[in-house]
Amino acid sequence: MAKVTVLGAGLAGSEAAWQLAEAGIAVDLYEMRPKTMTPAHQTGLFAELVCSNSLRAAAIENAVGLLKEEMRRLNSLVMKAADAHSVPAGGALAVDRNDFSRFITETLCNHPRISVIPDEVTAIPDDRPLVIATGPLTSPALSQAIAKLTGNDYLYFYDAAAPIIAADSLNMNTIYRASRYGKGDDDYLNCPMNQEQYEVFWHELTHAETAERKEFENMVVFEGCMPIETMAARGVDTMRFGPLKPVGLRHPETGEMPYAVVQLRQDNVAATLYNIVGFQTHLKWPEQQRVFKLIPGLENAEFVRYGVMHRNTYINSPKTLLPTLQMKELPNIVFAGQITGVEGYVESAASGLIAGINAGRIAQGLAPKVFPEETAHGALCRYITEADPSNFQPMNINFGLIPPLGHKIRDKKLKNRAIADRALAALEEFI
Ligand code: FAD
């Protein structure tokens, strides 16, 4: 049986390698970190979470919750790691980022069928089957090789990461614990602002200096990961209807509803680190210190990581890929992860899971599988391979990608539940 080569041990490549190895197939897994780092990764660990530590909503009435549940049923390593190393986050599944990535790294490095090659790949190897999962920050040499291989231009957008703050530097006399509408165990820390504080903050944020643009000319920002200063520039109230919205976050002691609220999410199990929710940013680091310290409760905040912004690269999948994630032209090459135009940690890992299964089938001389379109996995593959190639935008999973039920259900939660139940039934039959 053929060996399979996997390029990149990020969210997608790690999951692909695991699926292959568990199916009895030998894997060569290439990862360039820590020898060669990307602009966003900080460690040499596999499946590093470069920004938020949240894998988003947990419940299957939410499309990303359904995607995660499908992954569990498909023996996902990423979900095993996430479930084993979760931290409190209300209705979301968030993880201790170090424990999560260490679990995945150790599992793969100790797997008898996986050989890890700690090097940068600079050209497309001749090995087949091949899984390409080098992510949105694929190294420049390999990016060029992929552009040549796919024969169509690369598309770009820009992504940003939020700062992380030391918990013991927070002013807990001002900050209060609460989850929106009381969902969860008051897992979030809330920094309340009155109107005056908000307006001063907005003014300083919109006048703060951003980092050098250079290659960021003609920048297209992905809406789901928009820098906070870009959002602020849209209008004085835009943030108050976005990440700073106060509804459902009354002060537990005074009962007062603040004018705006900045939320902090626990970032590690020890609860020594918190990230600022929705504060992806491209501000210069001294400006982050100056402006974010205007947030009540963060006057003395110690930044353990500043927000950063990076190019995010993906191929034109509707032109290039089949719904099995194989290349149309070279079907022994399978793509996975954010480079295919799926957006998000969970989506990247899920596409890695599909790529692993299908590269394994190619290695075994079997036909690769198209996942049922009623499943979140199938819907995601269908979207990235059937979208309009002239205006292809990366996409998070959402119920709008899954075919509607044949009948009407008025209540949205009940409707989503019915779609999720149908998806899981379709998946069981598929398995
Ligand atoms: P990655 O996880 O980046 O894995 C690719 C791997 O390939 C890396 O380990 C890299 O070192 C390796 N590699 C690259 N080139 C080579 C080479 N030539 N040879 C060998 N190895 C190579 N998603 C969210 O859900 N939430 C967020 O908060 C979030 N924030 C983001 C912030 C930034 C700055 C960026 C860039 C993306 C963010 N994303 C976020 C989007 C996306 O979910 C992540 O990028 C995710 O890690 C993508 O998974 P992946 O497996 O495709 O790529």
Side-chain angles (χ1 to χ4, degrees):
M1 197 193 312
K3 228 181 182 190
V4 176
T5 299
V6 177
L7 309 186
L11 272 304
S14 294
E15 186 66 57
W18 166 256
Q19 293 290 331
L20 284 156
E22 287 293 283
I25 296 157
V27 180
D28 279 343
L29 176 59
Y30 285 82
E31 172 52 56
M32 68 179 187
R33 289 178 294 115
K35 272 192 215 165
T36 308
M37 296 297 282
T38 77
H41 289 84
Q42 313 258 321
T43 73
L45 295 173
F46 296 173
E48 181 180 329
L49 304 177
V50 287
C51 176
S52 158
N53 64 328
S54 172
L55 305 188
R56 314 200 320 271
I60 63 167
E61 287 81 5
N62 189 299
V64 76
L66 171 63
L67 188 61
K68 288 196 284 280
E69 182 56 29
E70 290 181 10
M71 291 174 73
R72 287 189 186 97
R73 297 187 185 198
L74 291 159
N75 184 33
S76 158
L77 175 63
V78 166
M79 289 314 301
K80 281 185 209 305
D83 290 333
H85 297 291
S86 62
V87 296
L93 173 61
V95 300
D96 179 304
R97 67 178 73 234
N98 274 317
D99 291 350
F100 168 81
S101 293
R102 200 168 295 120
F103 178 95
I104 291 175
T105 309
E106 283 168 8
T107 305
L108 296 181
C109 288
N110 293 330
H111 200 293
R113 279 184 288 280
I114 298 179
S115 311
V116 175
I117 300 133
D119 280 322
E120 179 186 352
V121 177
T122 53
I124 307 291
D126 291 331
D127 313 357
R128 299 288 186 271
L130 175 67
V131 177
I132 300 178
T134 44
L137 301 164
T138 297
S139 69
L142 189 64
S143 291
Q144 276 184 16
I146 294 170
K148 215 161 150 198
L149 176 79
T150 54
N152 50 55
D153 290 341
Y154 257 55
L155 307 168
Y156 304 116
F157 68 92
Y158 290 85
D159 232 343
I164 298 180
I165 289 170
D168 59 8
S169 68
L170 300 172
N171 175 1
M172 295 306 291
N173 292 326
T174 307
I175 298 174
Y176 61 92
R177 282 191 173 276
S179 285
R180 208 178 289 282
Y181 302 116
K183 274 190 188 172
D185 298 323
D186 294 346
D187 296 332
Y188 288 82
L189 298 184
N190 299 281
C191 308
M193 285 181 175
N194 61 32
Q195 184 168 357
E196 191 189 341
Q197 289 166 328
Y198 177 81
E199 286 173 1
V200 169
F201 174 69
W202 176 79
H203 180 269
E204 291 305 314
L205 182 58
T206 47
H207 289 81
E209 222 180 321
T210 52
E212 289 275 307
R213 281 274 164 96
K214 277 187 279 180
E215 58 166 336
F216 296 156
E217 302 295 309
N218 304 322
M219 180 170 69
V220 184
V221 180
F222 179 57
E223 289 280 327
C225 206
M226 176 181 294
I228 191 74
E229 62 275 9
T230 308
M231 184 179 291
R234 293 189 168 182
V236 65
D237 280 329
T238 312
M239 293 189 298
R240 288 204 322 121
F241 291 99
L244 273 68
K245 87 173 165 245
V247 289
L249 288 173
R250 276 185 195 283
H251 197 293
E253 279 158 29
T254 63
E256 260 176 55
M257 177 82 85
Y259 189 71
V261 175
V262 173
Q263 290 203 293
L264 308 178
R265 187 197 294 119
Q266 187 176 328
D267 203 82
N268 61 344
V269 169
T272 53
L273 301 176
Y274 280 81
N275 54 66
I276 318 183
V277 178
F279 269 55
Q280 308 80 254
T281 180
H282 190 40
L283 294 190
K284 283 190 165 171
W285 291 3
E287 288 288 79
Q288 294 186 31
Q289 284 260 10
R290 183 180 70 79
V291 178
F292 298 160
K293 283 186 174 185
L294 295 172
I295 298 168
L298 302 194
E299 303 85 7
N300 299 311
E302 182 197 333
F303 289 77
V304 297
R305 194 184 75 186
Y306 288 100
V308 283
M309 186 159 181
H310 296 289
R311 196 177 68 189
N312 192 348
T313 310
Y314 58 101
I315 60 171
N316 193 329
S317 290
K319 269 194 189 166
T320 314
L321 301 183
L322 297 167
T324 52
L325 303 184
Q326 297 167 278
M327 280 186 75
K328 289 177 184 168
E329 301 281 323
L330 297 164
N332 285 350
I333 298 183
V334 182
F335 274 85
Q338 183 106 354
I339 200 168
T340 65
V342 298
E343 169 62 34
Y345 299 145
V346 182
E347 289 84 345
S348 295
S351 73
L353 189 152
I354 295 170
I357 290 175
N358 280 340
R361 292 183 67 85
I362 296 169
Q364 290 166 316
L366 302 169
K369 289 271 184 188
V370 177
F371 276 61
E373 63 180 7
E374 294 84 3
T375 64
H377 280 76
L380 204 53
C381 289
R382 204 179 122 200
Y383 169 76
I384 60 164
T385 54
E386 290 183 7
D388 174 4
S390 63
N391 185 30
F392 180 50
Q393 290 290 319
M395 186 63 95
N396 285 126
I397 188 65
N398 60 76
F399 280 120
L401 302 183
I402 303 178
L405 298 164
H407 54 282
K408 251 207 154 73
I409 301 179
R410 275 189 200 286
D411 183 283
K412 194 168 166 208
K413 203 165 169 194
L414 290 178
K415 186 174 90 182
N416 290 349
R417 178 71 203 211
I419 295 174
D421 286 343
R422 183 187 64 175
L424 294 175
L427 185 71
E428 290 302 333
E429 201 174 310
F430 177 71
I431 293 169

